[in-house]
Amino acid sequence: MKYGISIPVRGDGANPAAFDGVAAKADAAGLDVLWASDHLLMAPPNKSKYPGTPDGSLPPPWKRTYFQPFSVLNYLAGRTRNVRLGTSVLILPMRNPIEVAAQIAELDQVSRGRVNFGVGVGWFEDEYDALGYPFKKRGKRANDGLKICKKLWTGEPAAHESEFYSFSGAVLGPTPVQKPHPPIYIGGHSPGALKRVAKFGDVWHPFRVGPDEFADLRPKLAEALKAEDRSIDDIPMCPKIPLVVQDEAGPLPTMGHLAGILDALKKYQDNGATEFCFDIVPETEENAVAMIDLILSEIKPKLG
């Protein structure tokens, strides 16, 4: 099993000192991955509702501070030597994929081959509207972007012709250290996301699915993989779930007493999870450091 946590990149606890503290702890203690989440713009949520609050509003601290993943991960690439650095997840359809291909390749270079490339399509329609990208075409744009990234990462002259981009003879350098490219984690568990895993993904990265739902989705993923002549036995799985130790039970079984959390994590593991990406609450340096200690002292010894 591999273990990672989300870096506090948003809210009042997000600042360079916190990045330093969490990264130093993770690097020295042996945590596998630090993940950075992604939003570009906190637009008023008129069309979309944030699923993490009862009324669908965005947390006010996010409006004050939300660091971009490439800023934080490039900074941490020079401050760490061991821990891997990932995007969980980069909303690829909100960006030019040619720029993203270059940014991921350069991050892989400066980190000396420690990048995990997590990709998703997002849920925030108002953010898409503000950026000028079509929300209803975000799945197609994500697939198109992944094709472009893979072509450009070869370092050979590349051509691409689609609804969104057209170029030929284009060369990108430097290329990633990891060959053929950094591992691609495909976020989500919709039918489109499962097809995206099968066609482009190295790792399945579903978000906030309980262990029972995780198990129920396996046959659907297996079917999508079979259509691409791939086997579910060859796909690592990294659910992104909250890790919150508290007295009362939360909406997911990884929120509550430690014993219940361990039972839930074992269920994920029994159904194919090979890695965990933990969201932490509250998103502070102190809590992140405490959760790293908990993972390595209480969770990893029991799950492996």
Side-chain angles (χ1 to χ4, degrees):
M1 295 296 295
K2 298 178 182 177
Y3 301 89
I5 66 165
S6 293
I7 311 165
V9 299
R10 58 196 182 186
D12 297 336
N15 55 67
F19 305 152
D20 285 344
V22 175
K25 175 68 176 183
D27 213 36
L31 194 73
D32 294 296
V33 193
L34 289 173
W35 297 95
S37 63
D38 178 35
H39 274 293
L40 276 169
L41 190 67
M42 294 290 104
N46 297 317
K47 296 180 179 178
S48 302
K49 300 301 180 184
Y50 173 56
T53 57
D55 63 356
S57 63
L58 295 168
W62 291 14
K63 300 176 185 179
R64 293 190 288 270
T65 303
Y66 208 124
F67 279 84
Q68 295 304 296
F70 286 116
S71 300
V72 176
L73 297 179
N74 277 300
Y75 173 72
L76 293 182
R79 308 283 291 185
T80 57
R81 288 294 179 267
N82 304 306
V83 67
R84 294 185 66 82
L85 306 170
T87 55
S88 181
V89 287
L90 190 80
I91 309 304
L92 184 58
M94 295 197 309
R95 291 173 170 81
N96 185 310
I98 299 170
E99 292 181 296
V100 170
Q103 289 171 310
I104 289 291
E106 291 167 12
L107 176 59
D108 205 46
Q109 283 283 338
V110 298
S111 69
R112 296 169 175 83
R114 291 186 283 131
V115 172
N116 292 345
F117 183 35
V119 174
V121 301
W123 59 272
F124 195 0
E125 186 172 357
D126 304 280
E127 188 175 19
Y128 272 89
D129 288 348
L131 293 165
Y133 290 120
F135 182 74
K136 295 188 183 301
K137 292 186 177 182
R138 66 195 190 283
K140 290 179 67 176
R141 285 178 54 82
N143 295 344
D144 205 39
L146 286 164
K147 290 176 187 176
I148 288 171
C149 287
K150 285 191 168 187
K151 289 177 181 180
L152 292 175
W153 284 334
T154 67
E156 300 297 323
H160 187 82
E161 188 70 37
S162 71
E163 176 183 353
F164 308 109
Y165 296 97
S166 176
F167 59 83
S168 61
V171 179
L172 182 145
T175 58
V177 171
Q178 298 176 89
K179 302 301 179 186
H181 49 71
I184 298 173
Y185 287 61
I186 299 295
H189 55 277
S190 68
L194 297 181
K195 290 179 181 178
R196 194 167 298 114
V197 175
K199 193 167 187 66
F200 301 105
D202 300 303
V203 183
W204 180 37
H205 191 41
F207 175 60
R208 290 183 74 93
V209 294
D212 293 336
E213 185 180 7
F214 182 73
D216 291 343
L217 286 163
R218 277 180 57 89
K220 298 176 183 179
L221 177 60
E223 184 179 350
L225 288 162
K226 185 177 180 180
E228 296 290 336
D229 295 321
R230 301 177 69 185
S231 170
I232 195 168
D233 296 329
D234 300 327
I235 295 293
M237 301 181 187
C238 176
K240 181 176 184 178
I241 49 180
L243 177 61
V244 183
V245 180
Q246 58 189 17
D247 290 335
E248 66 276 7
L252 285 175
T254 53
M255 306 172 74
H257 291 288
L258 180 58
I261 290 172
L262 289 168
D263 288 343
L265 294 178
K266 186 65 169 61
K267 289 180 182 178
Y268 285 108
Q269 187 181 43
D270 289 344
N271 284 292
T274 55
E275 184 174 354
F276 291 111
C277 168
F278 292 123
D279 278 334
I280 61 167
V281 181
E283 295 176 296
T284 64
E285 176 188 352
E286 294 76 16
N287 190 43
V289 167
M291 290 301 102
I292 292 171
D293 281 334
L294 179 76
I295 291 164
L296 298 179
S297 66
E298 298 291 340
I299 296 176
K300 184 174 182 179
K302 293 179 174 63
L303 297 183

